[in-house]
Amino acid sequence: MLEELIVEDLGIIEMAQLDLTPGMTVITGETGAGKTMIVGAISFVLGARSDTKLIRLGSTRASVQARFWLNDQEYVLARTLDVNGKSKGYINGRAATSSELQSLGDQLLDLHGQHGAMRLKSPAAQLRLLDTYANIDHGPRLLLESQIEKLKTSIANLTSINIEAERELGSITRALSDIERAKITSESEDQALQDELEQLEQSQEFIDVYAQFLESVDGDD
């Protein structure tokens, strides 16, 4: 059951809080009052596709929170959308993907629209109905999916670290190869090369100064 809905800066809604009770609830109002936005807010927090057009004009972020009760357990879902298109979702304070919000939302709420019956043609919807009839607990599966997502993130991070390590190794290998080709056999030879490098750098400074001098003498000014 949906017990509470908090909507901020979504569509034409600046701030709205609905506290729902068991029984039938009817939301009425004239055209443009925001009735459809309430349904849109519920869809949004349940993982529907987001669009920056949903953000209220003049605001930088829209957010929706929804509190549910299912099988004597409380679920608090939240989702935000920034003007840059970045969306963040949460389930009981834990970061969640849109697919996780959708998966849990399918168990918490059933939205019916003009073409809502078309969902019955979806194998996923049929499976959910069958699972609901069989009273199957999806908690363990949701937990495993969350753990799998964390493992995928860890693998991606490790892969990135490995690529960076290979890049650094390649740079070091090329540097060692250059050193070997230089065939420096003694510390004195290394110092002599360092002295020559400093002389060349100083010569370049002289060349730059001389070029500026010639420009000041021969230039238009």
Side-chain angles (χ1 to χ4, degrees), residues 19-40:
D19 296 311
L20 306 175
T21 57
M24 181 176 178
T25 299
V26 178
I27 300 175
T28 64
E30 61 184 13
T31 301
K35 301 184 298 297
T36 303
M37 288 309 307
I38 296 298
V39 178

Side-chain angles (χ1 to χ4, degrees), residues 19-167:
D19 296 311
L20 306 175
T21 57
M24 181 176 178
T25 299
V26 178
I27 300 175
T28 64
E30 61 184 13
T31 301
K35 301 184 298 297
T36 303
M37 288 309 307
I38 296 298
V39 178
I42 296 174
S43 298
F44 172 72
V45 80
L46 295 183
R49 180 175 296 180
S50 61
D51 190 327
T52 54
K53 294 179 181 179
L54 293 173
I55 301 176
R56 184 171 175 268
L57 185 63
S59 301
T60 59
R61 188 181 73 167
S63 67
V64 179
Q65 297 182 57
R67 186 187 307 273
F68 296 87
W69 274 95
L70 178 66
N71 298 329
D72 297 325
Q73 184 172 351
E74 183 182 56
Y75 295 91
V76 178
L77 279 62
R79 193 179 182 195
T80 62
L81 176 64
D82 296 332
V83 290
N84 59 9
K86 188 174 183 180
S87 173
K88 295 181 181 179
Y90 303 90
I91 298 177
N92 290 342
R94 176 186 61 82
T97 63
S98 296
S99 60
E100 289 176 322
L101 290 173
Q102 291 176 356
S103 180
L104 179 57
D106 287 341
Q107 302 174 56
L108 298 173
L109 191 70
D110 189 11
L111 285 173
H112 295 272
Q114 183 177 0
H115 303 288
M118 299 295 292
R119 295 178 59 189
L120 295 178
K121 294 184 178 181
S122 166
Q126 296 168 6
L127 181 60
R128 286 193 297 270
L129 289 172
L130 182 61
D131 288 347
T132 300
Y133 179 78
N135 197 26
I136 293 177
D137 180 14
H138 288 271
R141 178 179 61 81
L142 293 175
L143 178 61
L144 286 175
E145 288 179 352
S146 176
Q147 293 174 344
I148 290 173
E149 288 298 324
K150 291 179 180 179
L151 288 174
K152 287 181 178 180
T153 301
S154 298
I155 291 173
N157 291 336
L158 289 174
T159 300
S160 177
I161 293 174
N162 185 51
I163 292 174
E164 183 62 27
E166 290 181 351
R167 186 181 296 112

Side-chain angles (χ1 to χ4, degrees), residues 3-4 62 146:
E3 282 198 340
E4 183 182 32
S146 176

